[in-house]
């Protein structure tokens, strides 16, 4: 079974631009979560989607948004990029009803200049 | 609020020796799960071991085992017979039933010395 995939793997953007990251979960997984990983803050929870519905979100500004499609694929968008948004963005998928294990993708490395 | 604390930023262990990584957590809930994840350099995060809070028995997975002390809210990971491939960042995490949200610790970087 294919793992969680994320595209693109690397991205360089300029301050003020917006960016869209994509995540394809493991087949059959309907829950997708997003995390921001930085050396100083560790992994911070962004939001979780299940069957196209956002069930929880972290403490991030409204510039960070996401959505999930009917095939469980998910996208996250960051508008008006700031230097501090430079991070590794991780996506994880889960069945949630099987011990709450999450399976992570390789991440998208976003650099804002 | 749920919190997870890893107080050891970095640990070292000799190959074939045993090492224990510490994690403490805080939650007011009774139905929660605890995890250890491993993130090798430039590679994907993978699940090492999982513990359900309602189970008293400590989880084990081959060379990996946990010491789950519920009253003390402690969840340490023991790696036996350490191998070079165990070198990675290790994250402790928790989730509470119904929140659909993981809380991660800041991680412990494990170095394995040949």
């Amino acid at each position: 079974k294919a793992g969680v995939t994320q595209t693109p793997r690397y991205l360089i953007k300029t301050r003020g631009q917006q960016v869209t990251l994509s995540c394809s979960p493991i087949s059959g997984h309907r829950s997708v979560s997003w995390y921001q990983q930085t050396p100083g803050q560790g992994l911070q929870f962004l939001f979780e989607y299940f069957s196209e519905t956002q069930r929880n979100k972290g403490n991030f500004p409204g510039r960070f948004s996401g959505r999930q499609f009917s095939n469980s694929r998910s996208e996250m968008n960051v508008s008006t990029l700031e230097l501090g948004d430079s991070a590794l963005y991780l996506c994880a998928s889960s069945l949630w009803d099987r011990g709450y294990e999450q399976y992570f993708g390789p991440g998208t490395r976003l650099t804002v200049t | 609020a749920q919190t997870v604390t890893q107080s050891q930023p970095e640990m070292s262990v000799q190959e074939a020796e045993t090492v224990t990584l510490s994690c403490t957590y805080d939650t007011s809930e009774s139905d929660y799960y605890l995890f250890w994840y491993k993130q090798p350099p430039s590679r994907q995060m993978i699940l090492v071991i999982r513990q359900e809070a309602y189970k008293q028995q400590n989880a084990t997975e081959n060379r990996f085992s946990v010491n789950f002390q519920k009253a003390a809210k402690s969840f340490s990971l023991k790696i036996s017979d350490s191998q070079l491939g165990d070198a990675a960042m290790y994250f402790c995490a928790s989730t509470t039933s119904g929140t659909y949200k993981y809380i991660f610790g800041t991680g412990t970087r494990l170095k394995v010395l040949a």
Side-chain angles (χ1 to χ4, degrees):
Chain A
K1 193 180 267 191
V4 178
T5 58
Q6 292 186 244
T7 56
R9 293 292 309 279
Y10 302 91
L11 208 48
I12 299 175
K13 290 287 188 178
T14 304
R15 269 181 304 176
Q17 289 185 315
Q18 74 165 17
V19 66
T20 299
L21 312 182
S22 181
C23 171
S24 293
I26 291 172
S27 177
H29 286 193
R30 294 162 65 190
S31 168
V32 173
S33 298
W34 288 89
Y35 297 88
Q36 180 193 67
Q37 184 177 15
T38 58
Q41 298 293 320
L43 277 93
Q44 301 291 314
F45 172 76
L46 281 156
F47 24 66
E48 190 265 356
Y49 287 89
F50 182 89
S51 293
E52 304 179 67
T53 299
Q54 186 183 88
R55 296 194 296 188
N56 204 344
K57 63 178 295 187
N59 296 324
F60 279 82
R63 301 185 296 107
F64 291 81
S65 63
R67 60 177 176 169
Q68 187 181 35
F69 302 95
S70 59
N71 62 357
S72 295
R73 190 177 69 85
S74 178
E75 289 182 346
M76 67 162 282
N77 183 278
V78 188
S79 62
T80 319
L81 284 166
E82 300 177 359
L83 294 178
D85 297 334
S86 294
L88 179 67
Y89 289 88
L90 294 171
C91 165
S93 74
S94 170
L95 287 169
W96 278 110
D97 59 348
R98 295 286 296 274
Y100 296 83
E101 296 172 17
Q102 290 195 321
Y103 297 83
F104 285 81
T108 294
R109 173 75 62 186
L110 171 65
T111 301
V112 182
T113 62
Chain B
Q2 212 173 349
T3 61
V4 175
T5 302
Q6 293 179 253
S7 58
Q8 306 156 314
E10 191 171 293
M11 296 277 287
S12 296
V13 63
Q14 287 290 140
E15 200 175 2
E17 297 294 308
T18 296
V19 65
T20 298
L21 309 184
S22 301
C23 173
T24 58
Y25 63 94
D26 192 18
T27 179
S28 57
E29 304 294 330
S30 59
D31 186 8
Y32 58 92
Y33 297 75
L34 299 166
F35 307 83
W36 278 98
Y37 279 87
K38 168 185 177 181
Q39 188 178 39
S42 302
R43 294 182 62 186
Q44 276 172 246
M45 186 100 69
I46 57 173
L47 178 67
V48 175
I49 202 164
R50 182 190 81 223
Q51 175 80 43
E52 294 92 335
Y54 62 85
K55 288 188 178 179
Q56 293 186 336
Q57 186 173 8
N58 290 325
T60 62
E61 286 287 342
N62 302 313
R63 298 182 295 107
F64 299 88
S65 62
V66 298
N67 183 5
F68 176 44
Q69 300 290 324
K70 194 170 184 177
K73 296 183 177 176
S74 170
F75 182 61
S76 60
L77 175 70
K78 185 171 84 170
I79 306 173
S80 305
D81 186 26
S82 296
Q83 301 175 359
L84 295 177
D86 294 334
M89 279 291 286
Y90 286 82
F91 292 94
C92 178
S94 74
T95 188
T96 299
S97 178
T99 64
Y100 316 114
K101 174 182 179 177
Y102 270 47
I103 304 297
F104 282 82
T106 51
T108 296
R109 182 174 302 282
L110 178 65
K111 295 183 177 181
V112 181
L113 308 173

